[in-house]
Amino acid sequence: MPNDQFHLPDSPWLTLLKKHRAIAVIRAQKKDLARQMALAAASGGMQLIEITWNTPQAEELIAQLRVELPKCIIGTGTLLNLEQMHRAINVGAQFFFTPHVEKTIIQAAVNLKVPVIPGALTPTEIVTAWTYGASCVKVFPVQACGGVGYIKSLQAPLGQIPLIPTGGVTIENASDFLRAGAIAIGLSSELFPKQSVISEDWDLITRQAERLIEKIK
């Protein structure tokens, strides 16, 4: 059965999402680059940070950021199986994203009282993830199904399910997704432009984070 803790309006995780509204999704080819991306986003005011599991030395980095960024909530994403989930827990990950709907992962996370956000796209997938006990559902890639309009169209039948669109969310349209009914949004390449990461222009990324927060206030 789903754990009702994450289905209550005042649950700690949903309260955090409603407060901060944006998640920095970090994927990099090198651990140090990912670390600098996280530090730059945090400097810009972002407090929900996801380190994708396929980032080199992700486990070490998550543990390190828990110490370096004590005011941030550090989670991980692109988890594919239970073994990865348990390794993530051991290094202190505070929330999990998966790219798919996997019952065993969702229910294991619920039993451990760690928020889990599975990726889904169709109404059937979204409802299935919610029924299994997901704290909320990542709608990915949202742009492939119409972007803001798709999130808005889901509200009438599925408005009770907290949705986090990713894959097509930009700094410019972030507030549109929130107005359409999303509880929060996730940004990756739009927050961390490839050329800025290559050139290690961390000040620009900090300004990107500041712009995002200003847009969604």
Side-chain angles (χ1 to χ4, degrees):
M1 293 292 291
N3 184 331
D4 288 340
Q5 176 187 358
F6 293 124
H7 292 67
L8 296 174
D10 59 349
S11 73
W13 174 239
L14 295 184
T15 298
L16 280 172
L17 290 176
K18 290 175 181 178
K19 178 179 179 181
H20 299 296
R21 307 306 295 271
I23 300 167
V25 181
I26 296 173
R27 178 179 288 105
Q29 298 301 313
K30 296 180 181 179
K31 176 201 165 193
D32 188 58
L33 285 180
R35 173 179 173 270
Q36 293 292 345
M37 291 162 72
L39 295 178
S43 292
M46 298 198 70
Q47 291 188 267
L48 298 176
I49 296 175
E50 173 196 339
I51 303 297
T52 60
W53 194 252
N54 51 6
T55 294
Q57 299 173 272
E59 291 168 84
E60 184 179 326
L61 178 58
I62 292 166
Q64 185 175 353
L65 291 175
R66 286 294 313 272
V67 175
E68 290 188 288
L69 299 174
K71 294 183 179 180
C72 293
I73 306 300
I74 309 296
T76 190
T78 323
L79 290 180
L80 298 174
N81 54 55
L82 277 175
E83 187 257 344
Q84 291 178 346
M85 188 199 78
H86 287 297
R87 284 165 57 190
I89 288 174
N90 288 339
V91 295
Q94 295 168 284
F95 60 86
F96 306 136
F97 277 86
T98 69
H100 63 310
V101 178
E102 172 60 55
K103 183 177 183 179
T104 56
I105 295 176
I106 295 170
Q107 295 191 339
V110 167
N111 289 336
L112 292 167
K113 296 183 169 57
V114 181
V116 57
I117 308 97
L121 193 57
T122 67
T124 296
E125 292 171 343
I126 292 168
V127 172
T128 298
W130 181 250
T131 301
Y132 288 159
S135 59
C136 42
V137 180
K138 175 177 76 169
V139 183
F140 171 86
V142 71
Q143 199 58 38
C145 282
V148 172
Y150 185 58
I151 294 298
K152 187 174 182 179
S153 69
L154 292 172
Q155 294 309 300
L158 304 179
Q160 77 278 16
I161 302 177
L163 302 177
I164 302 178
T166 68
V169 181
T170 69
I171 292 174
E172 299 305 323
N173 69 18
S175 58
D176 295 332
F177 277 102
L178 297 174
R179 282 194 292 268
I183 191 171
I185 41 92
L187 291 90
S188 181
S189 58
E190 289 290 334
L191 186 60
F192 304 102
K194 183 177 180 180
Q195 192 54 48
S196 298
V197 174
I198 291 173
S199 63
E200 301 188 24
D201 189 348
W202 309 125
D203 288 340
L204 185 145
I205 289 174
T206 294
R207 292 195 298 273
Q208 288 279 94
E210 291 171 342
R211 280 186 58 223
L212 173 63
I213 291 170
E214 183 62 32
K215 287 275 187 181
I216 64 177
K217 275 184 178 177

